[in-house]
């Protein structure tokens, strides 16, 4: 565990993010007072465990997933820096209904739920921004649910690639930090199906694949395939 220093150059972007959410200096000091480092593959929170904290991702990348009784994961969100995790547990039943895992070395600020709640109750602008953030998260969840539940394999994979390109990396390049297994869990498919479909998309010149890196060559084509259902 490390103590957050607002004077550290590496923390300035996080401070700016929190200021944009409406937090003042004393509130920022409170929510950044405890920092935890997680190794790649380490659980940040475990599905079914007691929800003690709201988490603010400072560095790294995380994946949030639902685990079924057969220990198969369905990823519903990739989280990049300057995001808040666990809002669904703030006023829920005190347990995490999802798991969260680091897909690369990551740093997270932990905020006790009661402390986070007190700040929300005393800061209207922050409360409004949190509601917006939570609403956007729900919309993403609905989109992932629609894709996994109602579409065929090719469309599911195209949806996942579009999501990663437009919402996560904001680039035509999907970094190797996202593995084939991650794409499979994001699409609700087996990893071997992902390998086959990526090869088909490569043959169609919709994407290129260089070792583990994927580049979107024709976004319009992916979006047409996505609409096939």
């Amino acid at each position: 565990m490390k103590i957050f220093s607002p004077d550290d150059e590496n923390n300035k972007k996080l401070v700016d993010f929190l200021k944009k959410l409406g937090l003042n200096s004393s509130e920022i000091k409170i929510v950044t007072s405890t920092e935890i480092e997680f190794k790649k593959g380490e659980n940040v929170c475990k599905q079914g465990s007691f929800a003690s904290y709201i988490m603010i991702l400072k560095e790294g990348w995380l994946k949030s997933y639902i685990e079924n009784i057969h220990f198969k994961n369905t990823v519903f969100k990739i989280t990049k820096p300057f995001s808040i995790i666990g809002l669904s547990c703030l006023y829920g039943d005190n347990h995490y209904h999802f798991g969260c895992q680091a897909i690369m070395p990551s740093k997270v600020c932990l905020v006790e739920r009661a402390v986070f709640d007190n700040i929300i109750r005393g800061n209207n602008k922050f409360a409004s921004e949190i509601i917006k953030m939570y609403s956007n998260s729900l919309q993403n969840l609905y989109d992932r649910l629609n894709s996994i539940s109602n579409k065929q394999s090719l469309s599911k994979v195209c949806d996942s690639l579009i999501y990663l390109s437009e919402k996560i990396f904001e680039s035509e390049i999907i970094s190797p930090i996202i593995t084939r297994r991650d794409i499979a869990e994001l699409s609700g498919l087996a990893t071997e199906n992902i390998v086959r479909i990526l090869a088909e998309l490569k043959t169609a010149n919709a994407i290129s694949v260089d070792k583990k890196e994927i580049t979107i060559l024709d976004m319009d084509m992916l979006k047409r395939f996505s609409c096939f259902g």
Side-chain angles (χ1 to χ4, degrees), residues 140-152 156 159:
N140 168 72
L141 183 58
Y142 297 149
D143 290 342
R144 301 310 309 159
L145 181 61
N146 175 60
S147 179
I148 292 173
S149 300
N150 299 322
K151 294 190 175 185
Q152 298 177 9
K156 291 179 181 180
D159 280 349

Side-chain angles (χ1 to χ4, degrees), residues 75-78 139-169 171 174 178 182-189 194 197-198 201 206-207 216 218-229:
V75 173
F76 62 87
K77 185 178 182 181
I78 302 295
Q139 184 60 59
N140 168 72
L141 183 58
Y142 297 149
D143 290 342
R144 301 310 309 159
L145 181 61
N146 175 60
S147 179
I148 292 173
S149 300
N150 299 322
K151 294 190 175 185
Q152 298 177 9
S153 296
L154 175 61
S155 296
K156 291 179 181 180
V157 175
C158 289
D159 280 349
S160 296
L161 295 178
I162 293 167
Y163 166 73
L164 290 169
S165 174
E166 293 187 341
K167 300 291 183 65
I168 304 305
F169 291 101
S171 166
I174 298 173
I178 301 296
D182 292 332
I183 297 175
E185 293 177 346
L186 194 59
S187 306
L189 298 170
I194 296 300
I197 293 171
L198 290 179
L201 292 172
I207 65 172
I216 308 297
D218 193 333
M219 180 62 78
D220 290 338
M221 185 185 295
L222 288 187
K223 290 183 177 180
R224 290 197 299 272
F225 288 161
S226 168
C227 294
F228 284 173

Side-chain angles (χ1 to χ4, degrees), residues 25-104:
S25 297
S26 61
E27 291 166 336
I28 290 173
K29 184 176 181 180
I30 291 171
V31 302
T32 59
S33 61
T34 304
E35 179 185 306
I36 301 289
E37 295 186 8
F38 294 91
K39 299 177 182 178
K40 178 181 178 179
E42 194 171 4
N43 284 330
V44 176
C45 66
K46 184 172 177 59
Q47 182 175 320
S49 64
F50 186 74
S52 304
Y53 301 98
I54 303 299
M55 297 161 283
I56 303 173
L57 180 59
K58 172 191 165 187
E59 293 180 20
W61 296 70
L62 309 177
K63 63 178 180 181
S64 297
Y65 60 90
I66 303 295
E67 183 180 77
N68 67 19
I69 58 174
H70 303 294
F71 305 104
K72 180 180 178 181
N73 296 338
T74 298
V75 173
F76 62 87
K77 185 178 182 181
I78 302 295
T79 302
K80 54 186 179 179
F82 316 123
S83 301
I84 299 178
I85 305 155
L87 293 177
S88 61
C89 307
L90 187 59
Y91 302 113
D93 63 0
N94 300 332
H95 289 83
Y96 294 115
H97 288 262
F98 62 93
C100 194
Q101 185 181 85
I103 59 178
M104 66 181 297

